[in-house]
Amino acid sequence: MTDNNSPPGSPKVNPDHNSEANPLPKDDSSLENIVRRFQDSMSLAKKHKFWETQPVGQFKDAGDTSLPEGPIEPPTPLSEVKQEPYNLPSPYEWTTCDMDSEETCNEVYNLLKNNYVEDDENMFRFNYSKEFLRWALRPPGYCKSWHIGVRAKTSKKLVAFITGVPARIRVRDEVVKMAEINFLCVHKKLRSKRLAPVMIKEVTRRVHLENIWQAAYTAGVVLPTPITTCQYWHRSLNPKKLIDVGFSRLGPRMTMSRTIKLYKLPDQPATPGFRKMELRDVPAVTRLLRNYLSQFVVSPDFDENDVEHWLLPTEDVVDSYLVESPKTHDITDFCSFYTLPSSILGNQNYSILKAAYSYYNVSTKTPLLQLMNDALIVAKKKDFDVFNALDVMHNESFLKELKFGPGDGQLHYYLYNYRIRNALRTSELGLVLL
Ligand code: MYA
């Protein structure tokens, strides 16, 4: 299994590491093919020893529209939730990571910096900043007990991590209290020892203790069963560096100077009234965003507190801009991106790739294409090397035209203990996880 979650990745062809998704050969009636199908199905059946035991959509049920949408298992009485933590292998112990502590935050930062998600070719690794981690892990109503670490008992070294934060997620007409699970990481030297299932069970237990029974998460690996599979697209802002570090390649019949010219952007945003979001804008942005997100099948149910936390600009973490009509002073459009650098592994000249990730964007008056071009312009001015976006919401409408190229990163979205009858189109998804 590769460790790829989503890209730090480079926009190259994706090596096929997902045989599960391969279609059957056209003529499937020969004995050879029947035997192969049987073997495949046996290996598939054995494939997910842990996930088979969990209340998630199972591969065998895919396409069975007779199964109802909604919770797969009912909640159990809180008194029946296991009160003690799960057992870890004896050299390890649980720790709750207090992200307010500078020391703990440093330990988490270093564990992830050295062991978290890499692209398939191990050229880049996510390098979430400490400020970003504090922001991502302390939204309104967060639970410290959901920031779970594993230490080696003797050295006290932090060797694994998993987190949850609370969120209200709307699925069609239902707003469901969920945990968003992220930052699952096991030290490279402790891989393939089945630590991850114990960590997932432990975070599940702690979420249950708060009377929450559903979760949302993303991963670069195929597990039972994605609600949708998105693709990352990349827009070069600093093409020379991207080519130098192997993130992208010079196109056929292209020179470096033609490439630089191709990706050049104006110095200033084009839209009159385009400005940075401020605290006073929270009510208007919340209205705009709630109204916009209501059209998607799955989206967060943001209130003003959430918008203040998740979207008010925070230096080097999240940037948000809006369009205030110069005439009416109405807030008509909004765009945002978060900052997630990647370490560049083994390059002589560069150690960090500065990437912006498209977050939530809403257009009512300014065409989305123009709004996103303005987002690219401000990202370029802030010295980002690349602007990444998933093909969620209405993003497909601007990707090609604004010179984004498809990447090799696929991102699968999952719900825990909540069945969706059919997989969604990516454009039906209104949720971006960090
Ligand atoms: S996605 C980011 C994941 N992190 C990385 O990719 C960083 C680099 N990799 C690692 O640190 C390790 O390889 C990890 C696995 C820790 C990923 N999500 O311990 P193992 C299953 C879910 O021997 P290791 C993110 O953070 C695998 O299929 N399951 O493996 C969201 C197998 O199970 P099965 C995963 O490689 C996380 C088992 O683990 C993932 O040493 C959402 C093998 O365990 C994955 N990304 O460690 C978590 N990768 O046999 C789920 C492997 O059945 C949350 N596995 O196939 C669910 C909701 C919980 C809350 C519910 C509340 C109600």
Side-chain angles (χ1 to χ4, degrees):
M1 183 187 299
T2 66
D3 291 331
N4 183 288
N5 174 42
S6 54
S10 49
K12 293 183 217 118
V13 181
N14 197 12
D16 182 10
H17 54 84
N18 171 18
S19 54
E20 284 151 8
N22 278 351
L24 286 167
K26 279 213 178 72
D27 171 21
D28 61 356
S29 59
S30 70
L31 182 60
E32 193 185 322
N33 280 329
I34 291 168
V35 169
R36 221 197 47 211
R37 261 162 74 193
F38 177 72
Q39 284 170 337
D40 279 356
S41 71
M42 290 310 286
S43 69
L44 244 188
K46 271 191 263 144
K47 207 157 186 159
H48 296 291
K49 267 275 157 279
F50 169 65
W51 281 109
E52 273 168 27
T53 67
Q54 298 299 300
V56 293
Q58 297 295 332
F59 291 141
K60 66 176 169 49
D61 299 330
D64 182 347
T65 49
S66 70
L67 293 166
E69 286 214 349
I72 296 170
E73 280 177 4
T76 52
L78 282 185
S79 59
E80 285 173 24
V81 178
K82 186 169 144 57
Q83 294 299 305
E84 337 65 56
Y86 282 90
N87 288 328
L88 279 168
S90 66
Y92 306 106
E93 63 190 18
W94 296 111
T95 179
T96 294
C97 293
D98 177 1
M99 297 304 290
D100 297 327
S101 145
E102 190 61 36
E103 195 190 335
T104 310
C105 193
N106 261 321
E107 289 179 276
V108 169
Y109 169 79
N110 283 314
L111 174 73
L112 297 179
K113 180 170 110 68
N114 296 318
N115 300 279
Y116 200 48
V117 176
E118 296 178 10
D119 66 309
D120 289 336
E121 285 151 29
N122 312 103
M123 294 170 73
F124 308 97
R125 191 187 304 126
F126 280 145
N127 185 348
Y128 286 90
S129 70
K130 283 183 260 180
E131 309 77 69
F132 190 109
L133 292 169
R134 284 200 204 94
W135 170 72
L137 295 177
R138 297 185 307 176
Y142 78 95
C143 291
K144 268 192 187 161
S145 63
W146 295 5
H147 303 161
I148 307 173
V150 174
R151 290 187 190 281
K153 271 184 193 159
T154 44
S155 66
K156 301 293 174 209
K157 186 181 151 92
L158 186 69
V159 295
F161 191 58
I162 188 168
T163 67
V165 293
R168 290 178 317 281
I169 305 284
R170 184 185 50 75
V171 184
R172 303 191 206 279
D173 300 334
E174 224 46 78
V175 176
V176 186
K177 278 191 177 175
M178 296 199 192
E180 289 175 355
I181 307 298
N182 204 346
F183 304 115
L184 168 60
C185 181
V186 168
H187 192 286
K188 286 183 177 225
K189 296 210 165 127
L190 299 178
R191 298 272 168 90
S192 307
K193 296 179 189 296
R194 312 298 298 181
L195 265 182
V198 191
M199 299 176 67
I200 294 168
K201 284 194 278 186
E202 182 59 16
V203 77
T204 303
R205 189 185 71 82
R206 297 190 194 191
V207 170
H208 285 167
L209 286 172
E210 303 299 322
N211 203 16
I212 293 178
W213 306 88
Q214 272 72 35
Y217 50 103
T218 56
V221 292
V222 179
L223 305 165
T225 297
I227 59 162
T228 192
T229 294
C230 300
Q231 191 175 24
Y232 264 106
W233 289 67
H234 310 276
R235 205 300 183 176
S236 299
L237 300 175
N238 186 356
K240 176 156 188 333
K241 175 169 168 187
L242 295 180
I243 291 167
D244 285 351
V245 303
F247 183 90
S248 38
R249 289 197 209 104
L250 211 51
R253 293 179 299 283
M254 283 296 275
T255 60
M256 188 62 85
S257 60
R258 283 181 66 198
T259 307
I260 292 169
K261 204 167 148 211
L262 175 69
Y263 291 114
K264 200 163 166 48
L265 287 159
D267 287 333
Q268 297 297 335
T271 312
F274 186 92
R275 64 165 172 84
K276 201 167 154 170
M277 179 190 175
E278 298 173 18
L279 184 59
R280 65 185 162 108
D281 301 315
V282 166
V285 168
T286 307
R287 279 195 299 275
L288 199 63
L289 201 58
R290 286 186 65 82
N291 187 39
Y292 179 73
L293 290 177
S294 67
Q295 68 190 293
F296 303 106
V297 177
V298 174
S299 81
D301 180 66
F302 281 146
D303 64 16
E304 291 187 5
N305 284 328
D306 301 315
V307 167
E308 180 174 335
H309 179 82
W310 291 121
L311 293 165
L312 197 61
T314 301
E315 182 93 346
D316 296 331
V317 171
V318 63
D319 282 281
S320 299
Y321 292 83
L322 47 74
V323 181
E324 176 181 339
S325 158
K327 277 198 197 123
T328 65
H329 298 283
D330 287 343
I331 308 300
T332 55
D333 313 275
F334 174 80
C335 61
S336 58
F337 52 87
Y338 61 84
T339 299
L340 168 49
S342 281
S343 306
I344 303 170
L345 310 175
N347 186 280
Q348 299 276 310
N349 303 321
Y350 298 100
S351 57
I352 286 286
L353 187 71
K354 207 178 161 197
Y357 285 75
S358 174
Y359 199 26
Y360 291 98
N361 310 304
V362 183
S363 93
T364 69
K365 291 270 156 44
T366 309
L368 187 58
L369 192 87
Q370 180 181 328
L371 187 70
M372 294 311 294
N373 202 48
D374 285 347
L376 293 175
I377 292 167
V378 292
K380 171 71 189 167
K381 279 180 81 102
K382 286 181 168 259
D383 207 33
F384 285 96
D385 299 314
V386 61
F387 193 103
N388 298 330
L390 290 166
D391 52 357
V392 297
M393 295 181 267
H394 295 145
N395 291 359
E396 269 176 335
S397 71
F398 64 76
L399 292 170
K400 285 187 183 151
E401 205 153 341
L402 293 182
K403 301 175 185 159
F404 286 72
D408 63 3
Q410 283 209 324
L411 190 64
H412 308 281
Y413 275 75
Y414 302 93
L415 295 179
Y416 183 94
N417 194 21
Y418 202 96
R419 185 185 294 110
I420 301 253
R421 205 169 291 127
N422 294 305
L424 308 183
R425 288 190 288 270
T426 56
S427 58
E428 291 177 312
L429 185 70
L431 176 66
V432 178
L433 299 178
L434 304 171

